[in-house]
C-alpha cells in the first residue's frame, strides 16, 4: 500500500466505513459516503479530460465539499490547488493561470468573480459550482448534479511521488505554488498524528487501518474543528488531514467568520477533541464566548 492520502483514506473507509468522516451543520457523512462522493467527483474529473498532475482549483469556503473535492483530486492523481476565497478578479486569474488550472470548484456566491475571469483561462475544462445561495454561473455544472451523473471511479495504484501543492498567500511577492511529494506529506502527518491520540506511529502504511480500528472501537477517534480556513495550510493540515489520517472526523463551521459561541456549542455537541486556531484573532473571540456563556446550561463543558 503506497503512502498516499487517497490510498490511506480508502483503506480507512474499508475498516470503519460506518463512522463519521465530515460534518457541516446538519449534513453528516460517514467514511463510506465521503469516499463514494469523492470517487464520483474523481470520475467526473477524468470524464472532463483531466488526468495525473492536472491542477484543480478549490475556490471554496470551509465545508464538506472542500474536503470531498480535494480527496477526489487525490484519487485520480490530480493536484488540488487552494484558492483564497478573498481573491478578486486579477488575483484569482493570476493564481489559476499560474497553476495551469484545468478545473475549478467554487461556491455560487463567488460565481460573479469566476464569470469575469474564465475567458482569460483557456486551459479550464470544467467549472463545478457548489450551491450556497448565490446566482449560478451559466456553463458551470452543479456539484450535486455532477456527482449524480457519474459512477464512482475505480480505485487505482498511485505514486508516492505525486505532487501535493499549497499556494502561499503572497506575503513575499506574488503567490507561489509550493510543491511537495505526496508520500512525504502523508508520512509526516501519520508520524506526527498518531502520538496525539496516544499511539505510536505505524511502522508501515499497512498498519494504519488496524490502529484506526483500535481508536474507533475505543471511542477515541479524533474529532477536529478547523476554525481557520481550509484554504490555508494550518486549517487543512492540522485541522483536517491529521485527523482524517487517524480515521477521525472533521467538523466545519457554518458561519464564515469566527463565531465563538458556534464553536463552543459544536465542541459540546460533537465531543470535539481538538480545535485548530491561529493566534489571538481566534483565541480572543473564543475566550469572550466562554466568559459570555458562563452559567449557561452546558456552556462550561
Amino acid at each position: 500500500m503506497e503512502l498516499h492520502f487517497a490510498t490511506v483514506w480508502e483503506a480507512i473507509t474499508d475498516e470503519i466505513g460506518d463512522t463519521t468522516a465530515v460534518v457541516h451543520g446538519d449534513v453528516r457523512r460517514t467514511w463510506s459516503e465521503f469516499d463514494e462522493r469523492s470517487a464520483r467527483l474523481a470520475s467526473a474529473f477524468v470524464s472532463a479530460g483531466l488526468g495525473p498532475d492536472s491542477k484543480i482549483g478549490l475556490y471554496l469556503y470551509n465545508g464538506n465539499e472542500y474536503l470531498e473535492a480535494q480527496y477526489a483530486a487525490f484519487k485520480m492523481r490530480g493536484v488540488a490547488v487552494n484558492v483564497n476565497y478573498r481573491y478578486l478578479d486579477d488575483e484569482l486569474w493570476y493564481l489559476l493561470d499560474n497553476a495551469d488550472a484545468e478545473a475549478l470548484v467554487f461556491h455560487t456566491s463567488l460565481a460573479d468573480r469566476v464569470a469575469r475571469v474564465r475567458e482569460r483561462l483557456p486551459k479550464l475544462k470544467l467549472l463545478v459550482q457548489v450551491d450556497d445561495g448565490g446566482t449560478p454561473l451559466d456553463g458551470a455544472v452543479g456539484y450535486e448534479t455532477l456527482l449524480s451523473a457519474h459512477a464512482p471511479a475505480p480505485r487505482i495504484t498511485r505514486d508516492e511521488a505525486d505532487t501535493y501543492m499549497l499556494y502561499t498567500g503572497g506575503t513575499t511577492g506574488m503567490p507561489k505554488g509550493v510543491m511537495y511529494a505526496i508520500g512525504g506529506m502523508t508520512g509526516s502527518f501519520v508520524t506526527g498524528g498518531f502520538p496525539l491520540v496516544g499511539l505510536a506511529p505505524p511502522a508501515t502504511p499497512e498498519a494504519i487501518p488496524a490502529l484506526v480500528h483500535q481508536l474507533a472501537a475505543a471511542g477515541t477517534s479524533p474529532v477536529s474543528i478547523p476554525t481557520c480556513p481550509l484554504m490555508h495550510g494550518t486549517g487543512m493540515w492540522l485541522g483536517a488531514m491529521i485527523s482524517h489520517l487517524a480515521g477521525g472526523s472533521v467538523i466545519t463551521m457554518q458561519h464564515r467568520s469566527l463565531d465563538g459561541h458556534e464553536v463552543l456549542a459544536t465542541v459540546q455537541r460533537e465531543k470535539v477533541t481538538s480545535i485548530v486556531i491561529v493566534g489571538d484573532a481566534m483565541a480572543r473571540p473564543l475566550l469572550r464566548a466562554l466568559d459570555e456563556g458562563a452559567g449557561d446550561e452546558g456552556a462550561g463543558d
Side-chain angles (χ1 to χ4, degrees), residues 73-94:
F74 292 160
K75 275 180 172 289
M76 43 77 67
R77 300 182 62 197
V79 181
V81 175
N82 59 310
V83 184
N84 191 325
Y85 52 70
R86 297 185 180 90
Y87 281 176
L88 302 177
D89 301 18
D90 286 343
E91 298 165 307
L92 177 61
W93 167 80
Y94 173 84

Side-chain angles (χ1 to χ4, degrees), residues 8 84 169 237 243 252 254:
V8 172
N84 191 325
W237 297 355
S243 181
T252 49
Q254 291 182 282

Side-chain angles (χ1 to χ4, degrees), residues 272-298:
V272 170
T273 61
S274 65
I275 308 171
V276 175
I277 67 171
V278 180
D280 281 358
M282 294 175 182
R284 289 181 179 274
L286 288 172
L287 288 169
R288 281 198 300 272
L290 280 169
D291 290 339
E292 291 164 0
D296 292 350
E297 183 179 355

Side-chain angles (χ1 to χ4, degrees), residues 92-98 101 104 114 117-125:
L92 177 61
W93 167 80
Y94 173 84
L95 190 149
L96 294 175
D97 178 70
N98 185 261
L104 181 65
V114 178
V117 302
R118 63 175 172 178
E119 297 304 323
R120 300 165 63 191
L121 296 165
K123 293 181 181 179
L124 280 179
K125 300 175 181 177

Side-chain angles (χ1 to χ4, degrees), residues 95-136:
L95 190 149
L96 294 175
D97 178 70
N98 185 261
D100 295 324
E102 296 180 49
L104 181 65
V105 186
F106 61 95
H107 274 113
T108 54
S109 60
L110 304 171
D112 59 329
R113 304 178 196 177
V114 178
R116 293 193 294 268
V117 302
R118 63 175 172 178
E119 297 304 323
R120 300 165 63 191
L121 296 165
K123 293 181 181 179
L124 280 179
K125 300 175 181 177
L126 179 66
L127 293 171
V128 184
Q129 52 193 347
V130 177
D131 184 7
D132 67 343
T135 303

Side-chain angles (χ1 to χ4, degrees), residues 51-82:
D53 202 43
S54 289
K55 312 304 188 297
I56 299 163
L58 306 181
Y59 191 37
L60 296 162
Y61 296 101
N62 284 11
N64 295 343
E65 292 86 2
Y66 197 118
L67 297 166
E68 290 171 353
Q70 178 180 250
Y71 187 11
F74 292 160
K75 275 180 172 289
M76 43 77 67
R77 300 182 62 197
V79 181
V81 175
N82 59 310

Side-chain angles (χ1 to χ4, degrees), residues 2-274:
E2 62 270 15
L3 198 56
H4 189 293
F5 290 116
T7 306
V8 172
W9 290 338
E10 288 170 352
I12 288 172
T13 298
D14 293 342
E15 191 71 27
I16 56 165
D18 292 338
T19 65
T20 301
V22 292
V23 179
H24 185 75
D26 295 331
V27 180
R28 310 178 68 86
R29 308 283 186 200
T30 65
W31 270 94
S32 292
E33 292 168 331
F34 177 51
D35 181 73
E36 180 185 354
R37 287 169 60 83
S38 301
R40 288 179 181 273
L41 186 56
S43 181
F45 289 153
V46 172
S47 294
L50 279 63
D53 202 43
S54 289
K55 312 304 188 297
I56 299 163
L58 306 181
Y59 191 37
L60 296 162
Y61 296 101
N62 284 11
N64 295 343
E65 292 86 2
Y66 197 118
L67 297 166
E68 290 171 353
Q70 178 180 250
Y71 187 11
F74 292 160
K75 275 180 172 289
M76 43 77 67
R77 300 182 62 197
V79 181
V81 175
N82 59 310
V83 184
N84 191 325
Y85 52 70
R86 297 185 180 90
Y87 281 176
L88 302 177
D89 301 18
D90 286 343
E91 298 165 307
L92 177 61
W93 167 80
Y94 173 84
L95 190 149
L96 294 175
D97 178 70
N98 185 261
D100 295 324
E102 296 180 49
L104 181 65
V105 186
F106 61 95
H107 274 113
T108 54
S109 60
L110 304 171
D112 59 329
R113 304 178 196 177
V114 178
R116 293 193 294 268
V117 302
R118 63 175 172 178
E119 297 304 323
R120 300 165 63 191
L121 296 165
K123 293 181 181 179
L124 280 179
K125 300 175 181 177
L126 179 66
L127 293 171
V128 184
Q129 52 193 347
V130 177
D131 184 7
D132 67 343
T135 303
L137 176 64
D138 289 342
V141 185
Y143 186 89
E144 296 296 336
T145 300
L146 199 62
L147 265 60
S148 298
H150 290 83
R155 294 183 178 180
I156 60 173
T157 300
R158 304 177 183 92
D159 194 322
E160 293 183 8
D162 287 349
T163 298
Y164 175 86
M165 183 157 64
L166 184 84
Y167 262 83
T168 68
T171 52
T172 57
M174 300 301 285
K176 302 172 182 66
V178 183
M179 294 179 286
Y180 308 79
I182 209 164
M185 287 288 293
T186 307
S188 68
F189 292 162
V190 167
T191 299
F194 276 96
L196 297 177
V197 290
L199 296 176
T204 65
E206 289 79 9
I208 294 174
L211 291 177
V212 164
H213 181 87
Q214 179 180 337
L215 290 170
T220 55
S221 298
V223 181
S224 173
I225 294 179
T227 61
C228 36
L230 292 173
M231 61 156 172
H232 287 314
T234 301
M236 177 56 71
W237 297 355
L238 303 182
M241 286 177 160
I242 285 179
S243 181
H244 271 167
L245 286 169
S249 53
V250 177
I251 320 295
T252 49
M253 299 295 93
Q254 291 182 282
H255 283 88
R256 289 177 175 171
S257 58
L258 182 67
D259 182 323
H261 292 284
E262 180 192 18
V263 173
L264 296 179
T266 305
V267 169
Q268 170 111 353
R269 184 182 67 248
E270 301 290 342
K271 306 301 180 188
V272 170
T273 61
S274 65

